Amino acid sequence: DAGITQSPRHKVTETGTPVTLRCHQTENHRYMYWYRQDPGHGLRLIHYSYGVKDTDKGEVSDGYSVSRSKTEDFLLTLESATSSQTSVYFCAIGAGGPEAFFGQGTRLTVV
Amino acid sequence: KNEVEQSPQNLTAQEGEFITINCSYSVGISALHWLQQHPGGGIVSLFMLSSGKKKHGRLIATINIQEKHSSLHITASHPRDSAVYICAVNSGDYQLIWGAGTKLIIKP
């Protein structure tokens, strides 16, 4: 299995608080992605990165920011969490290229 | 209209049955992925196809580029095959376009 881990795996937070999710890879892959998965929507791209300090928005980027200061880590930040951001978040590497590997997901609940 | 359409959305079958899940797409692609997600679980890549057919154990994936259609087949289905199967296509910009998934339940 590809070395990709997400942390935390579960989190409950209050509306208005900042939250940061971490994705760590050991594959030295250039491309990293953050998706959210909601019933009836499938997976939707939030942000992706094509290299250190190189990031771009996906289709549902509002309310989210990302950072990639080194190849192995891709951070997703909810600046001020809202209930609509309750979701399961998946990190992926290589999604869109020849191989696609996914983290185990982070279940985030905003109360 | 979604660029990637899967059918059926839900499928319930008896153990041992031959299963087919379909994926149609409307964009030009360089590759198509089939992925599996068990309830509450992570997402696992099953196949990546750009042409023809691939087989892994009881799973077979085919793609017809001209018709913009792919199928995932499961032979001798088993309850442990119960999962959501997702089709996604790479249209060439290092992003995937996702289908909505097919929820498969195999009853013993």
Side-chain angles (χ1 to χ4, degrees):
Chain A
D1 287 344
I4 177 168
T5 56
Q6 290 183 230
S7 59
R9 294 290 313 279
H10 301 271
K11 186 169 182 66
V12 179
T13 192
E14 293 185 351
T15 299
T17 60
V19 177
T20 295
L21 309 182
R22 181 181 183 239
C23 178
H24 179 79
Q25 60 142 332
T26 58
E27 304 298 315
N28 200 36
H29 207 288
R30 180 182 171 194
Y31 284 83
M32 298 184 75
Y33 306 78
W34 276 107
Y35 293 93
R36 60 179 289 173
Q37 186 180 40
D38 304 289
H41 287 279
L43 282 108
R44 292 182 290 176
L45 182 65
I46 304 171
H47 282 278
Y48 70 100
S49 170
Y50 47 95
V52 173
K53 298 193 188 321
D54 292 323
T55 65
D56 206 350
K57 296 179 180 180
E59 63 181 306
V60 290
S61 59
D62 288 347
Y64 302 95
S65 63
V66 290
S67 66
R68 191 160 178 208
S69 58
K70 45 187 178 177
T71 299
E72 56 265 36
D73 288 326
F74 192 32
L75 304 180
L76 176 71
T77 297
L78 289 64
E79 303 290 348
S80 177
T82 67
S83 59
S84 65
Q85 294 175 311
T86 293
S87 185
V88 180
Y89 292 86
F90 284 97
C91 174
I93 59 174
E99 297 175 306
F101 300 106
F102 292 82
Q104 286 298 302
T106 295
R107 187 171 296 274
L108 176 68
T109 303
V110 183
V111 298
Chain B
K1 187 182 188 302
N2 292 333
E3 293 171 305
V4 179
E5 297 273 2
Q6 284 186 240
S7 63
Q9 284 187 312
N10 295 283
L11 178 57
T12 300
Q14 292 296 131
E15 183 174 358
E17 287 188 33
F18 181 82
I19 302 300
T20 296
I21 299 170
N22 297 298
C23 177
S24 297
Y25 52 93
S26 58
V27 296
I29 70 168
S30 56
L32 180 143
H33 296 258
W34 282 104
L35 306 107
Q36 179 193 58
Q37 185 177 27
H38 281 103
I43 299 169
V44 175
S45 179
L46 299 174
F47 296 104
M48 192 279 292
L49 295 161
S50 54
S51 65
K53 176 180 175 179
K54 287 190 176 180
K55 184 175 188 291
H56 186 262
R58 296 180 293 107
L59 299 178
I60 303 165
T62 64
I63 188 168
N64 185 318
I65 297 294
Q66 287 73 30
E67 295 185 3
K68 296 188 174 180
H69 181 269
S70 176
S71 293
L72 177 69
H73 305 286
I74 305 174
T75 62
S77 60
H78 190 277
R80 66 176 175 266
D81 297 325
S82 297
V84 174
Y85 292 85
I86 307 169
C87 171
V89 301
N90 175 10
S91 62
D93 61 353
Y94 265 93
Q95 294 186 39
L96 285 172
I97 305 172
W98 297 83
T102 295
K103 185 176 182 180
L104 174 65
I105 297 172
I106 303 296
K107 294 185 175 180

